[in-house]
């Protein structure tokens, strides 16, 4: 039986990339875009693992940690953020998160945070995992596809300056 993973992420492109990566590692993924949907899905599916975005569209993922912990006392909850700070990391752990990671996180980092693997030499050499730069590149490509190649719309969706996005696109990460 596959382990259930609830992904709570308002960015559809990033959620899709996460799902694709986690399915390859044996997870049955469930996706929620909003806090209300997340709690409902948590009660229905009782996932063993949760990847929670700190900044949802109009809500804070931090406010979901306690309710999720109440519904899923044995589940592993990992908070993901593009705005990492020591203060929010401490707050997240105090609220009940098991780990706190900056986006984009590579596959092995996610798996370690979820408690699915120990770091070993063979995992460091695993070609199926993505580095942070490769994960970011994949996320950008998904957003570009979603926006039909429109650089300005993609930059707005990624909350990034258009020139910054263009620089990143010119620096394709090595495989």
């Amino acid at each position: 039986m596959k382990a259930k993973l609830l992904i709570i992420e308002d960015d559809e492109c990033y959620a899709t990339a996460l799902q694709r990566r986690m399915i390859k590692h044996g997870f049955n993924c469930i996706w929620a875009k909003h806090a209300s949907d997340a709690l409902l899905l948590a009660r229905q599916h009782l996932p063993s693992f949760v990847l929670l975005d700190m900044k949802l569209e109009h809500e804070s993922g931090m406010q979901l940690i306690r309710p999720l912990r109440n519904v899923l006392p044995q589940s592993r909850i990992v908070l993901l953020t593009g705005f990492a700070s020591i203060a929010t990391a401490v707050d997240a752990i105090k609220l009940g998160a098991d780990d706190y990671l900056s986006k984009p996180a590579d596959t092995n980092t996610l798996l370690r945070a979820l408690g699915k693997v120990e770091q070993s030499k063979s995992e460091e050499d695993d070609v199926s995992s993505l580095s942070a730069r490769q994960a970011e590149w994949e996320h950008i490509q998904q957003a570009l596809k979603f926006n039909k190649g429109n650089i300005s719309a993609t930059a707005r969706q990624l909350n990034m300056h258009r020139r910054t996005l263009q620089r990143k696109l010119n620096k394709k990460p090595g495989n």
Side-chain angles (χ1 to χ4, degrees):
M1 191 163 113
K2 291 184 173 187
K4 292 178 190 171
L5 170 66
L6 175 59
I7 298 171
I8 306 166
E9 170 65 59
D10 62 336
D11 182 336
E12 187 174 346
C13 293
Y14 189 68
T16 301
L18 277 176
Q19 283 179 309
R20 203 170 44 251
R21 289 164 54 196
M22 295 296 103
I23 287 169
K24 287 180 184 177
H25 289 277
F27 287 96
N28 179 11
C29 297
I30 306 147
W31 173 53
K33 187 174 184 172
H34 304 287
S36 57
D37 296 338
L39 289 172
L40 178 64
L41 289 171
R43 285 186 188 98
Q44 287 176 344
H45 296 279
L46 300 173
S48 301
F49 305 94
V50 178
L51 291 176
L52 171 62
D53 186 17
M54 185 170 87
K55 187 176 183 283
L56 299 171
E57 192 170 320
H58 299 294
E59 304 161 297
S60 169
M62 295 277 275
Q63 295 174 342
L64 271 178
I65 296 172
R66 275 204 178 116
L68 283 169
R69 182 56 67 208
N70 289 336
V71 172
L72 308 166
Q74 302 303 313
S75 295
R76 198 119 172 111
I77 300 173
V78 177
L79 189 71
L80 298 171
T81 181
F83 309 96
S85 75
I86 293 171
T88 56
V90 169
D91 289 344
I93 301 303
K94 282 182 179 178
L95 289 169
D98 295 295
D99 212 330
Y100 177 94
L101 298 175
S102 294
K103 287 183 187 178
D106 66 77
T107 304
N108 279 336
T109 301
L110 287 169
L111 292 172
R112 275 192 302 277
L114 292 170
K116 292 300 278 182
V117 295
E118 300 282 325
Q119 186 171 3
S120 70
K121 181 67 176 150
S122 64
E123 289 159 4
E124 290 171 7
D125 296 336
D126 183 8
V127 294
S128 70
S129 68
L130 297 174
S131 71
R133 287 189 65 205
Q134 289 168 325
E136 178 184 46
W137 176 261
E138 182 177 319
H139 178 58
I140 289 171
Q141 293 304 311
Q142 288 291 323
L144 262 173
K145 183 178 175 185
F146 181 79
N147 290 297
K148 298 177 180 145
N150 185 320
I151 299 284
S152 296
T154 302
R156 279 190 300 275
Q157 179 184 351
L158 296 173
N159 199 19
M160 165 185 312
H161 194 280
R162 186 181 50 78
R163 286 188 210 127
T164 302
L165 176 58
Q166 287 175 317
R167 276 194 301 276
K168 288 179 182 285
L169 288 169
N170 288 330
K171 294 182 186 178
K172 185 177 191 296
N175 295 334

